[in-house]
Amino acid sequence: MSPARRRLPAWRSTSGRFLALHLVLNLACILPILLYVYFQVDRIIIADFTRPLEFRQSNLEKQYARGGIAQLRHEVESRAARAHRDRTAILLVDPESRKLAGNIARWPAGLAAPIDWTPFALTRDSGGAPDKFLVKTVRYPSGHRLLLGGLLDNRARMEGALLLALFAAFALAVPVGLLGSVAIVREMNRMVAAIAGIGQQVGAGDLARRADTDGSGDPVDRLKTSLNAMLDRIETLVEEHRTLTDALAHDLRSPLTRIHIQVSEALAESPAPESRARFDAIALEVGIVLHMLESALEISRAEAGVGRGTFERFDLAAVLGDLGEIYQPLARTNGVEITVACPPRLEFHGNRALVARAVANLIDNALKYGAAGGAIALEAEAVDGEVHICVADRAGGIPAARRTEAIRKFGRLDRARNTPGTGLGLSLASAVASLHGGRLALEDNRPGLRARLILSLLPPSSSHQQGATE
């Protein structure tokens, strides 16, 4: 089994952070508006409430101007007698704070004079719990003080209704903002997924894929245009590289093949033992160069997506069984036992020859570097839409820090080059895995090395099948 990929929690993902940011910004805009509405409405309510009180206060001032404190006292007594009908609080006291007239028992402690309209709790002569009044006080030159107030019970109810409405609006803004954020995130993810899909298809070898542009010139459209221009350039370079590689391989392979034939003929005609040894060495070196050319050519074609058009359904279990039988005699000659463990039948859609070549390279590597362990295991299993083919030995393995180097083209861990090989076996296996939507992973077998060839079980889309064929 491949190691589980660590996934971030949804709220820590880019989509989650964008959703949270958009929601917070929405609420940050809505909250000041709701507070502004609340305070403005409250100010209007206060203004409407104080208008009749200002009229009453103005009338009291006229009475004071007409007859002084005596006339003011008479008017306060008259107002107090009917205050229960208009819910007015009124009180006139002398300089020693003794009550002269009004419906308030005494001057409230802590209430200064003069002050403008201010909410204040007052207890009327009728007793009971204090009520909230909007109060204004006046101090006259003689030291007398006048208190005039209006009951704020209607304002309190209106404020309660207003607060309830604002809280309801805020509570409604949260799900509405959340839905809006989700819609924006989904649209953003859709656009990103479309671009990512193009990248995945190109990475899988379909270099003809391009992003659809709408000509709007917005940032997303410009990104798609830039991506298409980059892909055009990549396709051109890959095609030039493939053409050059094919031409070079062809030009080199023909003379090398002729040299190999001539050496073989000379070897057959030469009776001298020392000449035969030299011709054998020359033939071996020419064969190695031919093998390197073939492998390099296959890697380049696999990386360019060549061969995808020849994908077919076949029984992978049968291919692995055949490979086990083919390599078993050679393995036993080297003191190694090969075991094959896979399902009785394993349907796969891919290039049979390339997959067999990749697995054969892994077995070759295991025999070459892992024969000291005495055992090689060839295993296959279907795992979550993928097939995992493992070739494991019980020898020294490869240090984790050098596994990437081992997969690289011409990557040889043997710096002295004492072990025969071209350094292309693992590179070819990796290229074949990529052609089939997978990858090659080198793991610790404790002891030894486990080479895991991971291939996608899902057949490629029709768009993928339009790549060049061999």
Side-chain angles (χ1 to χ4, degrees), residues 133-144:
F133 284 81
L134 189 65
V135 173
K136 182 176 183 178
T137 61
V138 179
R139 179 183 289 275
Y140 295 102
S142 59
H144 292 75

Side-chain angles (χ1 to χ4, degrees), residues 18 110 114 131 144 165 213 314 339 393:
F18 183 85
D131 294 315
H144 292 75
T213 58
F314 63 92
T339 59
D393 60 60

Side-chain angles (χ1 to χ4, degrees), residues 104-181:
I104 302 296
R106 65 181 61 85
W107 189 270
L111 183 61
I115 59 170
D116 206 354
W117 299 109
T118 302
F120 201 88
L122 299 175
T123 303
R124 288 174 286 187
D125 285 343
S126 56
D131 294 315
K132 184 66 72 68
F133 284 81
L134 189 65
V135 173
K136 182 176 183 178
T137 61
V138 179
R139 179 183 289 275
Y140 295 102
S142 59
H144 292 75
R145 288 171 291 169
L146 174 67
L147 180 152
L148 178 64
L151 189 62
L152 287 173
D153 57 345
N154 289 335
R155 178 194 177 235
R157 287 197 297 270
M158 292 184 69
E159 282 186 337
L162 179 60
L163 283 174
L164 181 61
L166 294 179
F167 279 125
F170 185 79
L172 182 62
V174 172
V176 170
L178 185 60
L179 289 176
S181 301

Side-chain angles (χ1 to χ4, degrees), residues 208-251:
R209 296 296 298 175
R210 297 294 182 271
D212 295 329
T213 58
D214 54 19
S216 63
D218 63 11
V220 175
D221 190 64
R222 293 200 302 273
L223 174 62
K224 291 180 178 179
T225 302
S226 300
L227 176 65
N228 289 343
M230 180 183 68
L231 293 178
D232 288 339
R233 180 61 176 162
I234 291 175
E235 185 180 21
T236 301
L237 293 175
V238 169
E239 186 62 32
E240 291 176 353
H241 177 267
R242 187 170 64 188
T243 302
L244 177 62
T245 302
D246 287 348
L248 182 63
H250 181 271
D251 292 345

Side-chain angles (χ1 to χ4, degrees), residues 8-19:
L8 290 174
W11 61 271
R12 291 187 60 189
S13 66
T14 301
S15 297
R17 294 197 302 271
F18 183 85
L19 189 149

